[in-house]
Amino acid sequence: QCDLQGLWRNELGSNMTILAMNTAGTFSGSYHTAVAATNKQILVSPLQGVQQHPSAKRHPTFSFTVQWQFSDSTTAFVGQCFVDHHGKETLETMWLLREEVLSHKDTWKATR
């Protein structure tokens, strides 16, 4: 069974830490991205998430949001955790980032 708690690293050098999950499947943690479209200093940012049916599934789905501390944007991640036959856990995720724009007419360029 996959356990989201712990330190995770991706192929781009970003890392996140997921703290203990409660019985409802919610969790918190932090995310330190190695990739950002900003000249500002990259800061560790808080995350909040939920895992679907945390005690019942071998390859559970999950989601979390990151409130970036160095920009006016938020990212939502969705994914699934997989465990191979050697016990190695892998997270497969997709994300959407929404940054603040000054007017509704600029909304087309606010989501990546």
Side-chain angles (χ1 to χ4, degrees), residues 1-100:
Q1 181 170 331
C2 194
D3 182 6
L4 294 180
Q5 184 177 347
L7 174 65
W8 296 89
R9 290 187 175 90
N10 72 13
E11 65 278 3
L12 300 175
S14 300
N15 64 70
M16 73 174 173
T17 300
I18 296 178
L19 303 175
M21 189 174 309
N22 67 22
T23 56
T26 63
F27 57 87
S28 62
S30 60
Y31 199 104
H32 189 231
T33 186
V35 181
T38 184
N39 293 330
K40 295 180 181 178
Q41 178 184 2
I42 296 174
L43 301 173
V44 175
S45 299
L47 69 81
Q48 295 287 328
V50 63
Q51 179 179 321
Q52 185 69 17
H53 306 296
S55 63
K57 302 293 182 186
R58 178 167 164 78
H59 304 291
T61 59
F62 59 89
S63 64
F64 61 90
T65 58
V66 178
Q67 177 192 3
W68 301 112
Q69 298 298 290
F70 56 89
S71 71
D72 296 323
S73 61
T74 302
T75 300
F77 292 80
V78 295
Q80 186 172 2
C81 186
F82 293 95
V83 181
D84 70 14
H85 61 279
H86 297 294
K88 181 183 177 191
E89 297 170 324
T90 301
L91 304 182
E92 291 292 338
T93 62
M94 296 195 69
W95 55 267
L96 283 174
L97 179 142
R98 177 68 183 215
E99 62 186 332
E100 182 182 17

